[in-house]
Amino acid sequence: MLPRSGVSRAVLLGRHEGIRLLPAFRVRAFSSTVPKIPVRQEFSRLPQAQGLYNPDNEKDNCGVGMIANLKKAESHRIVKNALQVLERMEHRGGCGCEVNTGDGSGALFAIPDTFYRKECKTAGVELPPNGRYGTGLMFFSKADGVYDKCKTVIEKHCAEKGFEVLYWRDVPTDNSTLGPSSLACEPHVKQIFLAPKNTDISALMLETELMILRRRFERDIADNVATAEDWTQEFYPCTLSSRTIVYKGMLTPEQVGQYFKDLRNESFETYLALVHSRFSTNTFPSWSRAQPMRMLCHNGEINTLKGNANWMQARESVIESPQLGAELTQQMLPVIDKSQSDSGSYDNVLEFLYHGSDRSLPECMLMMIPEPWQNDGQIDEDTKAFYRFYSNVMEPWDGPAMIAFTN
């Protein structure tokens, strides 16, 4: 019943044994003084479609790095090394005529529970055990009333989905090194902490429910609060997870550690980091389109994006997750947020496949980006059978040069 194939609607979110794929690795830096300039209400510099420019053609060519302790031993050294990797990717990122306004840079970390527990305790908030609460950084426009309106919507959906908001934290930042363009659209950066009222919920289901919750309030804010055509100019949740946290922005690689004071705190300890330096190919930078996304860092261009997005949209009328059922599946739709870049669109589909099925993350990745297997004599027949099966289910997202990913 899926468009363009005879595969049943359950196959896309059904079960098949996964194949492991290890993330790859790669290994930027500016600074200057900032003049006094007026502040924009939006935190995106993306213009509307005009003349030969169309935001649908936004593409990224970037630098990606990854560092981890294989024994999951947490330390601040991981953070320092990750930022050093990022700073050394100057040649992989971009900036405008201002050397201190970058196309976007950031880092994804495994949640530094000890650090957040200490910060919350200072504010009189006791966090549940590690892995039993969700958190995420969120961007809010500095326009009057936007934060309060968005906060009301977010807390309403949290209550409806059975979550208790524990704390809204002001993320400490230092914008003294930002360039004029980045500073003009700098957002308020807040961090939410929330916990499920159902204490028996599994770790995986908690992560799925947090993703669904995020999509619900995203859609509500886009439809009923945001006044800009691109709602991410006024509000953007970098992530909402019980496992990972993303620090990013319209920054150069060197500015990431300077801007986010958390990352300079020795108590900020983790065992995993993905870093990304964005080079927007003939396009415009913004705070929300910086990477990492929620599950990945991407280098390259997805050349088949429009076709991939159209086929994904065509499936939405019949698709249903066998794990979650029809109601929760509908709460994850639409799969692709049209305000996203090619990398953001890929990330939308990846988290939908991962949370909507019992597939492993590497299996979802290989469904979407199969290697060129048809005429490769070095690939065994079982692996070719895997790719042949999924070629009837999902069109390849063709073009990425490299992707690092994590759940």
Side-chain angles (χ1 to χ4, degrees):
M1 294 179 64
L2 286 178
R4 215 181 69 167
S5 82
V7 182
S8 72
R9 66 182 182 180
V11 170
L12 188 66
L13 294 175
R15 174 173 172 77
H16 193 278
E17 283 301 317
I19 295 177
R20 295 290 172 184
L21 176 68
L22 294 178
F25 180 87
R26 272 207 190 155
V27 176
R28 163 182 206 222
F30 314 117
S31 178
S32 185
T33 57
V34 181
K36 294 285 186 180
I37 52 174
V39 175
R40 286 166 54 98
Q41 293 185 346
E42 311 88 11
F43 49 85
S44 169
R45 300 294 286 181
L46 286 172
Q48 302 299 319
Q50 54 187 289
L52 297 177
Y53 171 75
N54 191 315
D56 289 344
N57 297 323
E58 291 275 328
K59 300 287 175 68
D60 301 326
N61 274 304
C62 317
V64 177
M66 170 187 155
I67 186 167
N69 184 291
L70 297 181
K71 296 182 179 179
K72 292 189 175 183
E74 297 181 345
S75 70
H76 188 65
R77 183 182 177 186
I78 293 288
V79 180
K80 288 182 176 178
N81 288 345
L83 293 177
Q84 185 178 40
V85 170
L86 186 58
E87 290 168 10
R88 291 182 179 180
M89 289 196 294
E90 176 181 357
H91 62 292
R92 294 301 306 169
C95 64
C97 58
E98 310 154 4
V99 296
N100 49 4
T101 294
D103 282 4
S105 295
L108 177 152
F109 302 100
I111 284 180
D113 175 70
T114 302
F115 173 72
Y116 288 153
R117 195 168 296 281
K118 177 182 174 183
E119 289 293 306
C120 289
K121 192 170 184 178
T122 301
V125 177
E126 192 71 32
L127 288 178
N130 189 16
R132 305 304 301 170
Y133 64 90
T135 187
L137 266 60
M138 299 186 181
F139 297 157
F140 296 89
S141 166
K142 292 183 176 179
D144 290 341
V146 170
Y147 168 65
D148 291 332
K149 291 177 183 177
C150 291
K151 180 182 176 184
T152 299
V153 171
I154 293 168
E155 292 183 345
K156 178 192 75 171
H157 284 283
C158 287
E160 291 174 355
K161 289 291 291 178
F163 284 90
E164 178 187 0
V165 176
L166 303 174
Y167 182 39
W168 283 97
R169 175 177 178 251
D170 288 311
V171 178
T173 58
D174 177 2
N175 63 10
S176 61
T177 65
L178 300 192
S181 298
S182 178
L183 189 63
C185 52
E186 179 191 14
H188 285 303
V189 186
K190 307 285 279 190
Q191 183 177 11
I192 187 174
F193 290 89
L194 67 167
K197 295 178 181 178
N198 176 12
T199 56
D200 294 327
I201 189 171
S202 69
L204 181 58
M205 194 61 199
L206 172 58
E207 194 71 0
T208 299
E209 288 283 8
L210 287 168
M211 186 271 284
I212 294 173
L213 170 63
R214 194 198 78 233
R215 292 202 173 195
R216 279 170 57 115
F217 62 66
E218 280 179 349
R219 208 159 49 237
D220 195 347
I221 291 173
D223 293 342
N224 302 309
V225 176
T227 56
E229 185 175 345
D230 178 3
W231 63 273
T232 63
Q233 294 184 24
E234 299 178 41
F235 166 73
Y236 179 80
C238 297
T239 188
L240 189 64
S241 172
S242 61
R243 299 175 175 178
T244 60
I245 190 78
V246 173
Y247 287 77
K248 67 177 185 177
M250 193 170 155
L251 308 166
T252 67
E254 186 181 48
Q255 289 172 342
V256 174
Q258 297 168 350
Y259 183 76
F260 292 109
K261 295 182 180 180
D262 286 356
L263 305 185
R264 304 200 299 268
N265 193 313
E266 293 288 334
S267 300
F268 192 106
E269 297 181 335
T270 187
Y271 65 87
L272 169 72
L274 304 184
V275 294
H276 186 276
S277 176
R278 186 175 188 231
F279 192 106
S280 348
T281 317
N282 300 319
T283 57
F284 293 89
S286 74
W287 284 80
S288 60
R289 291 194 174 188
Q291 295 190 44
M293 312 308 294
R294 280 93 187 210
M295 298 187 80
L296 59 83
C297 301
H298 168 226
N299 170 42
E301 296 183 358
I302 297 175
N303 303 314
T304 55
L305 177 63
K306 191 160 289 188
N308 295 134
N310 288 340
W311 282 116
M312 203 69 228
Q313 185 177 12
R315 296 184 174 102
E316 290 179 3
S317 62
V318 295
I319 200 166
E320 180 179 321
S321 166
Q323 274 70 39
L324 304 178
E327 183 179 351
L328 288 181
T329 302
Q330 286 301 309
Q331 293 180 29
M332 293 194 287
L333 304 179
V335 176
I336 296 177
D337 175 9
K338 294 182 179 180
S339 68
Q340 295 295 304
S341 63
D342 56 343
S343 305
S345 299
Y346 184 98
D347 188 70
N348 285 163
V349 176
L350 178 63
E351 65 175 3
F352 176 77
L353 290 177
Y354 177 70
H355 290 290
S357 71
D358 60 353
R359 292 188 178 91
S360 67
L361 185 55
E363 184 176 1
C364 295
M365 291 293 301
L366 291 172
M367 282 177 60
M368 297 181 68
I369 314 177
E371 56 188 316
W373 56 273
Q374 291 93 334
N375 301 312
D376 191 334
Q378 302 300 313
I379 299 178
D380 63 80
E381 290 303 315
D382 285 345
T383 304
K384 286 186 176 183
F386 171 91
Y387 289 130
R388 189 176 296 111
F389 174 82
Y390 277 121
S391 68
N392 293 304
V393 180
M394 170 71 73
E395 306 76 24
W397 290 61
D398 183 64
M402 181 262 184
I403 288 186
F405 56 94
T406 184
N407 59 2

